[in-house]
Amino acid sequence: MKLERLELRRIALDLVTPFRTSFGVETNRDILLIKVTTDVGEGWGECVSSHEPAYSSEFVEGSALVIRDHLWPAMVAAGISSASDVAPALQRYKGHQMSKGALEMAVLDAELRANNRSWKRELGSTRDRIPSGVSVGIFDTMDELSRQVAGYVDDGYVRIKLKIEPGWDIEPVRMIRDQIGPGVPLQVDANTAYTRDDISHLCKLDEFDLLLIEQPLPEEDILGHAQLARATATPVCLDESVVSMQTAVDVIELGAAEIINIKPGRVGGYLSAVRIHDLCVARGVPVWCGGMVETGIGRAANAGLASLPGFTLPGDISASTRFYARDIVKDPITVDSITTSTAELLP
Ligand code: SMG
Ligand code: MG
């Protein structure tokens, strides 16, 4: 396979409802899609950076620039002939995991399409159906939160994730636990909003039998997460902190993560995501597939990843309609009353 042409497409999509997290509110999504043309055909990738560098240091304008001026030229110069050549060709550039991941995704897509091979089978899928969880933002009122969660339970989501921040944690979680009952898996995500001083406060969440608490402290505070993990009965899960295989190994060894959220973009692509999955399976660490408000392109690819055997917890892989009135793919992602069918979603 030989690279021929790169096309960057930037589209704006409104969200059906504002998505508020501890780091800000998104009302629309600035999406960067990548089309790679090779001598054997084309492939698509989705870059999961956001408009603002708030979830992480990456942002869409920066992604487009680094892809155009640095990453793609390096790939062409290296003469890559397969998706597995992409990461080594880009290794000398620091960071920019989401941009690197998007390029690798596009090359892998082209390679598999050319050989008529299946995305999910190639990654190592062992299932055709996966459970679907939903991520629920922060609201102005408890009533609004309650209504939204009730709607998602009706939609068929089997696990609820509540975004939390200081001032919006114990009481909303208590209300939702009472509302959905003890049988529905519930977890929380703070997106780095707390500090080590909040450890005893976060321990109050223990009474709600949560599946996990996701990234409560800043991404670089590995020691703080290890301290929290020792203090709390709720399993600590890391998202933002895990940007590579190396950080995954370290946070596990140091006792800072008992569960890992794997997002392909955050770790430099799907091939790296599979390696982290394999590491976690070997170490007995449960993983689940995170989401970055992807369009159907990234969402379908994530569904394939989430069907690997180590993904034992429901992912943030919701229906297209969770975020978008109209997705950009021909067949939007849907959730049935029990599970999402990857068999129907992926070739
Ligand atoms: O795609 O379902 C989704 C979103 C899931 O909450 C979600 N993602 O920290 O896990 C996370 C957030 C990051 C969103 S930033 C755009
Ligand atoms: Mg998260």
Side-chain angles (χ1 to χ4, degrees):
M1 187 174 78
K2 199 172 170 310
L3 300 181
E4 285 178 351
R5 199 177 120 79
L6 170 74
E7 201 177 314
L8 298 178
R9 292 211 193 160
R10 190 101 167 249
I11 58 172
L13 276 189
D14 286 338
L15 300 184
V16 287
T17 168
F19 187 43
R20 179 170 154 205
T21 62
S22 63
F23 59 81
V25 190
E26 281 190 338
T27 53
N28 55 53
R29 195 80 188 144
D30 179 2
I31 296 158
L32 178 62
L33 300 172
I34 287 176
K35 182 173 151 192
V36 164
T37 307
T38 74
D39 60 337
V40 294
E42 63 186 44
W44 286 88
E46 177 166 352
C47 184
V48 300
S49 54
S50 304
H51 183 73
E52 290 193 308
Y55 164 82
S56 75
S57 62
E58 297 189 73
F59 62 106
V60 179
E61 189 70 28
S63 301
L65 194 145
V66 78
I67 288 170
R68 190 194 66 195
D69 291 354
H70 301 284
L71 306 182
W72 175 257
M75 285 165 60
V76 173
I80 68 145
S81 59
S82 146
S84 57
D85 296 338
V86 175
L90 302 180
Q91 199 179 4
R92 81 185 187 88
Y93 294 118
K94 310 287 190 202
H96 297 288
Q97 297 293 63
M98 294 173 178
S99 302
K100 291 174 178 175
L103 284 163
E104 187 195 76
M105 178 183 176
V107 173
L108 183 58
D109 186 43
E111 195 177 344
L112 297 181
R113 278 176 200 276
N115 294 297
N116 211 9
R117 273 146 62 199
S118 139
W119 177 270
K120 68 173 183 147
R121 253 186 297 281
E122 190 71 17
L123 297 183
S125 167
T126 52
R127 302 173 272 174
D128 287 336
R129 300 171 76 77
I130 54 165
S132 182
V134 65
S135 175
V136 186
I138 294 167
F139 291 91
D140 289 338
T141 66
M142 300 270 272
D143 274 359
E144 235 178 308
L145 173 68
S146 170
R147 261 200 311 278
Q148 289 289 337
V149 170
Y152 293 136
V153 171
D154 282 350
D155 288 343
Y157 294 106
V158 297
R159 180 275 276 151
I160 303 294
K161 161 167 136 179
L162 300 183
K163 292 289 187 179
I164 58 168
E165 65 182 4
W168 184 265
D169 45 27
I170 311 296
E171 291 317 314
V173 172
R174 183 190 309 283
M175 177 187 71
I176 295 303
R177 176 49 91 203
D178 287 347
Q179 177 177 328
I180 63 181
V184 179
L186 179 65
Q187 64 191 55
V188 292
D189 185 2
N191 290 108
T192 77
Y194 295 86
T195 72
R196 289 184 197 184
D197 295 340
D198 298 312
I199 288 179
S200 59
H201 176 72
L202 292 171
C203 286
K204 293 183 194 151
L205 291 167
D206 283 350
E207 69 170 290
F208 306 115
D209 191 26
L210 302 180
L211 265 186
L212 57 92
I213 176 168
E214 181 179 348
Q215 197 71 46
L217 311 181
E219 57 270 46
E220 287 169 1
D221 193 2
I222 304 305
L223 187 60
H225 282 106
Q227 288 172 356
L228 173 66
R230 283 195 295 274
T232 176
T234 306
V236 173
C237 168
L238 291 185
D239 173 356
E240 284 91 329
S241 296
V242 180
V243 294
S244 62
M245 179 73 165
Q246 184 65 61
T247 50
V249 171
D250 291 356
V251 298
I252 294 169
E253 289 276 318
L254 294 168
E258 296 158 291
I259 296 175
I260 290 185
N261 165 336
I262 298 184
K263 287 179 182 166
R266 203 195 58 229
V267 300
Y270 285 86
L271 300 183
S272 166
V274 170
R275 282 193 292 272
I276 293 174
H277 158 273
D278 296 347
L279 162 87
C280 291
V281 169
R283 304 275 182 123
V285 174
V287 301
W288 55 285
C289 183
M292 288 297 289
V293 195
E294 288 92 345
T295 69
I297 294 178
R299 212 161 273 277
N302 285 349
L305 178 71
S307 67
L308 270 65
F311 286 85
T312 51
L313 297 170
D316 281 342
I317 303 173
S318 45
S320 297
T321 51
R322 157 68 185 92
F323 290 109
Y324 302 113
R326 183 163 164 253
D327 204 336
I328 57 169
V329 292
K330 240 191 303 170
D331 298 311
I333 310 298
T334 56
V335 170
D336 67 30
S337 59
I338 310 167
T339 52
T340 300
S341 167
T342 53
E344 287 156 24
L345 304 180
L346 300 166

